[in-house]
Amino acid sequence: MIEMDKTAQTGDMSPAAQLVEMLGPDLVLTGEATLPYCRDWHGDVQTGAIAVLRPRSTPEVQACVKAAAALRLGVVPQGGNTGLVLGAVPESSGAQVVITLERMTQVRTLDVDNFSAVVEAGVVLEQFKETVAKAGLFFPLTLGAQGSCRIGGNVATNAGGVNVLRYGMTRDLVLGLEVVLPDGSLFEGLSLLRKDNRGIDLKQMFIGAEGTLGIITAVSVKLLPAPDQVATALIALPKLADAIDLYRRARRECCDLMSAFEFMPPLAMVLAKEAMPDLQIPLTGYPAYALIEISGSGLVDIDALMERFLETAFESGLALDGVVAQSHAQAKNLWDIREGMNLGQAERGRHMRSDISVPLSRLAEFVTEAEAALTAEMPGCVCVSYGHIGDGNVHLNVMPDYSLGEDQIDPQISMAKKIMNAVLDRYDGSISAEHGIGRLKKEDFEARLPDVHRALLTSIKRAVDPHLIMNPGCQIDLP
Ligand SMILES: Cc1cc2nc3c(=O)[nH]c(=O)nc-3n(C[C@H](O)[C@H](O)[C@H](O)COP(=O)(O)OP(=O)(O)OC[C@H]3O[C@@H](n4cnc5c(N)ncnc54)[C@H](O)[C@@H]3O)c2cc1C
C-alpha cells in the first residue's frame, strides 16, 4: 500500500515521477507507452495522459486512486476502450491519469446452483461468456465489441447490445458491485441476492455513471441456462414500417423466446461486402431487412417455432423473401453482415454516428422524417439507419459527401447532428440509447437537461466526489 506522506517529500518531482515513486514502476506507464490508452476506438482522437496506472487487485486500485487524489490529478477509468463517446479517453489537459482495469481478469466465483458469478472488472466480455458457457450457463450481453470490451466498462456504460429486447440492459443483469470511491474507500456490495428491497439501491448510481463516481472493480451478475437451440433468419421486407409490424407480430407469436430483432437498410449488404469480401450475402435488392433470432433451452422446439412464424409472415405479405441459417457457421455469417455493415462505414471514412431512441410506435416515421431532412439540407450525404428495433434504438449514421474534401468532413458531421437532433427533439427521443454521454455528447446532453435533473446530478457528484477527481469532463461540467 502507498504511504500518502511521500508526496510531501517528492514535491519537486514531475507528477509522473511521483506516481512511480508512490506506486512502484510495475503499476505505472509513462511517456509513449501511454499513447494507445489515449486514443479512441476509431482512431479519430489522440490525447495524452500524465501516466497510465495498471493495478492488479482492488487494494492496488485503492492505492492508485489515493495517489492520484494526493497529487490532485483527474482519474479516467478505462476498460477495453471500445466506448464510442470518448468517456475512457482523457482530455488533453495533461492533468489526468488513466487507471486501466486490464490486469484485473479473474472470475472470482461461478455458482451454477445460484445462476450467478462474481467477475472482476477487467475480464473481457467474450472470455466471460465462454467461461460460463463451459458450465452450461449463459451471460446474455452480446455486442460487436465483445472481443475487447470489459465487464467493468459494460457496467459503467450500462451497455445494451442485440439481446436487450429479451434480457434487458446490463443494469438488469447486475446483482451487485464492488467500487473504489474517489477517496479510496471501498463500496462493498457484491450481493448474490435477486430480491433485496432494503431502501435505496445504491449500486444503481454507479451503473451508467461512466466512471464519474468511482471505479468498479468487480461485479456480481445473473446468469441463465445456456440456450441449446438457436434459430436465426434474415428476412427481406417491403419497407422499414413492415419491419416494425413484423417485430410486433414476433413478440406475440414467439412466446417471449425472441432474443434479437435487428433491422438493416439495403446499403447494409454493400457495406458489409466491402469490409468483408468473403461474406456470403444470401439476399439482395430488397428495400429493407430484418435479422431475427429465436432461442431457448429445454423442451421447446425452436426450429419449428421459427418455421411457423415465418409461414405466417409470408402469408401476411410482411415478408418477401427469407433465409434460415442451417448451421452455426451460416448463423454467424448472417450476424457478420450486421457487424460488417459497421466496419464498412468506418472504412469509407469519418462519419456521423448516432445512437438514439424513440418510442417504437414512431420509429419508422422518425427515420423517414430525419433522413428526408438530412438529404434535403445535405445533398450528397448518405444515411444508413439500422438498429435494435425492439428497443426503439436506431443508429442513424450519416456519411458526408466526401467529394467536398477533408476540411469539410467535420462541418458536415456537426451539421448532420444538428439536423437529426432537431427532428429527434420533436419525437421526445433520447440522444443516447446505449453508448452514454462521455465527452462527445456532453454539450447535447447538457442542452437538454432539465434544471431539477441537473441539480440532482450535481448534488450526487459533489457528495460522492467532492474534489471532482473522477473522470473530469465526462457527462457534465461542474464549476
Ligand atoms: C464495434 C462496436 C460495437 C459496439 N456495439 C455496442 C452495442 O451494441 N451496445 C452498446 O451499448 N455499446 C456498444 N459499443 C460501445 C462499447 O463497446 C460499450 O460502451 C462497452 O460497454 C464499453 O466497454 P469498455 O470496457 O470498452 O469500456 P471503455 O470504453 O474502456 O469505457 C467506457 C466508459 O466507462 C468507464 N469505465 C470503464 N471501465 C470502468 C470501470 N471499471 N469503472 C468505472 N468506470 C469505467 C470509462 O471511464 C468510460 O467512461 C460498441 C462499440 C464498438 C467499437
Side-chain angles (χ1 to χ4, degrees), residues 154-186:
N154 299 144
V155 175
T157 57
N158 187 28
V162 297
N163 288 341
V164 171
L165 60 91
R166 177 149 162 204
Y167 302 104
M169 303 281 282
T170 301
R171 187 185 298 283
D172 299 298
L173 305 171
V174 172
L175 295 172
L177 293 180
E178 177 185 273
V179 186
V180 173
L181 299 180
D183 64 358
S185 61
L186 194 62

Side-chain angles (χ1 to χ4, degrees), residues 10 26 70 80-81 125 166 236 282 352 354 394 398:
T10 54
D26 180 51
N81 198 13
L125 174 59
R166 177 149 162 204
M352 188 206 80
S354 77
V394 185
V398 181

Side-chain angles (χ1 to χ4, degrees), residues 41-42 76-84 86-89 101 121-122 141-146 148-162 169 206 209-212 214-217 338-339 342-343 388 395 434-435 438-439 470-471 474:
W41 186 82
H42 281 99
V76 180
Q78 191 175 96
N81 198 13
T82 67
L84 297 174
L86 303 180
V89 179
L101 279 297
L141 183 63
T142 302
L143 47 145
Q146 66 188 27
S148 305
C149 64
R150 296 174 190 269
I151 297 289
N154 299 144
V155 175
T157 57
N158 187 28
V162 297
M169 303 281 282
F206 302 102
E210 298 180 75
T212 58
I215 300 191
I216 297 159
T217 45
R338 167 73 172 76
E339 297 311 327
N342 282 342
L343 292 175
H388 318 303
H395 300 293
E434 53 178 20
H435 295 163
R439 294 178 173 78
M470 287 306 307
N471 217 351
C474 182

Side-chain angles (χ1 to χ4, degrees), residues 288-303:
Y289 299 90
L291 184 56
I292 305 181
E293 185 186 88
I294 304 174
S295 57
S297 55
L299 303 177
V300 288
D301 185 342
I302 292 293
D303 286 339

Side-chain angles (χ1 to χ4, degrees), residues 3 28 39 54 70 215 229 281 356 369 380 406 432 461:
E3 295 165 33
V28 186
R39 188 180 304 136
R54 303 192 308 145
I215 300 191
Q229 302 174 51
I281 307 285
I356 52 104
E369 191 176 329
E406 176 67 27
S432 180
K461 172 75 177 171

Side-chain angles (χ1 to χ4, degrees), residues 313-331:
F314 281 111
E315 277 163 18
S316 66
L318 281 177
L320 297 175
D321 201 349
V323 287
V324 180
Q326 300 301 317
S327 64
H328 181 70
Q330 285 183 9

Side-chain angles (χ1 to χ4, degrees), residues 247-261:
Y247 166 75
R248 290 198 190 101
R249 182 183 277 261
R251 278 303 292 266
R252 292 200 187 91
E253 295 182 354
C254 295
C255 331
D256 279 340
L257 293 171
M258 181 169 53
S259 40
F261 192 115

